[in-house]
Amino acid sequence: MAELPRLSPRAEHRLLRFACGLPPRLQRLLFGAPPSIDGQVLAPDVHALVRLAEISGETSFTKGLPPAAARAHNRRGAEATASRPPMPMARVEDIEVPGDAGALPARFYLPGGLPPERPAPLLLYFHGGGWVIGDLDTHDDVCRFLAAGAGVAVLSADYRLAPEHPFPAAIEDAWSAFTWATGNAARLGADPGRIAIGGDSAGGNMAAVVSIRAQAEGGPAPAMQLLLYPVTDSAEDPRS
């Protein structure tokens, strides 16, 4: 298949949605049979997405760009893929969480339909982006989806990014956000006994690290983890 011409983020998103929405039989005809590893077959729509990325040369979100340019590219992509209009919430509030190096931006989401007389379960969420790109806005759509789909309040916590702020800055910020959330559950209208922690990619790594630290220190621990393709093992290239 010939290489695709460069498209705007919005046009690219429309193409991806069209390809992923095709019948599985047509997806296999256009993009080939999905790979099978250890008896697990990749879903045809995901295989279509991967093949389109390979064809267009978009095999890495950083693409060798300097951090500022990669962040801008990621932000444009997030804007193109976000729901229009945004998924409605009962309340969305930008707040600040105290951190060791200063205040950290955070965003609180409260979905509609939760019993007003009961404290809500809370998900503390860390965005992905390889510790270099990503922010509250790139993951706004994700947090709204999780809040509405799971029926929980979501606190999306930002953190300092590399390379300007190398390890362990992001982990320290994640820990600060967790300790603040557990100590300020009442302010958020959340149930202190039902605070979960989660994230995608780099954010999943931080959620796992914070959970391990909370257990080791014997303080409040997350009620559960939601880890979306987390970075948990860099020792080898897994077959998947």
Side-chain angles (χ1 to χ4, degrees):
M1 188 177 293
E3 184 173 332
L4 298 177
R6 295 303 304 159
L7 302 172
S8 69
R10 189 166 296 279
E12 186 177 84
H13 176 54
R14 287 173 179 167
L15 172 62
L16 295 178
R17 293 192 71 170
F18 173 76
C20 293
L22 292 172
R25 184 175 179 180
L26 186 53
Q27 288 171 339
R28 291 187 178 91
L29 180 64
L30 291 173
F31 304 107
S36 175
I37 298 177
D38 297 332
Q40 299 184 73
V41 181
L42 189 64
D45 56 345
V46 177
H47 179 58
L49 185 66
V50 172
R51 287 291 296 125
L52 284 171
E54 292 172 346
I55 293 166
S56 65
E58 298 282 344
T59 54
S60 169
F61 59 76
T62 58
K63 301 186 304 178
L65 296 174
R71 291 165 190 158
H73 181 273
N74 187 49
R75 197 172 296 113
R76 289 193 298 269
E79 291 172 358
T81 58
S83 302
R84 293 287 187 274
M87 190 173 293
M89 294 280 110
R91 179 161 61 98
V92 178
E93 181 183 358
D94 285 333
I95 62 176
E96 289 186 338
V97 173
D100 291 343
L104 303 169
R107 186 170 295 162
F108 179 74
Y109 301 83
L110 184 68
L114 297 183
E117 70 280 1
R118 293 182 56 192
L122 176 69
L123 170 65
L124 173 62
Y125 194 84
F126 302 114
H127 65 76
W131 295 277
V132 176
I133 65 175
D135 55 34
L136 299 181
D137 291 333
T138 61
H139 284 64
D140 180 78
D141 205 48
V142 173
C143 291
R144 289 172 183 265
F145 174 80
L146 291 172
V152 300
V154 174
L155 179 63
S156 178
D158 213 350
Y159 51 90
R160 288 171 290 168
L161 298 175
E164 296 90 341
H165 304 284
F167 176 85
I171 297 297
E172 292 172 347
D173 291 347
W175 179 253
S176 294
F178 174 69
T179 56
W180 185 87
T182 56
N184 291 269
R187 171 183 167 180
L188 298 172
D191 183 347
R194 292 191 294 167
I195 297 179
I197 189 169
D200 61 281
S201 193
N205 169 277
M206 292 191 293
V209 170
V210 168
S211 298
I212 293 170
R213 178 173 175 180
Q215 184 181 46
E217 296 194 2
M224 65 166 286
Q225 294 180 94
L226 176 66
L227 308 182
L228 308 179
Y229 49 93
V231 182
T232 54
D233 184 2
S234 297
E236 60 180 312
D237 187 17
R239 283 168 50 80
S240 62

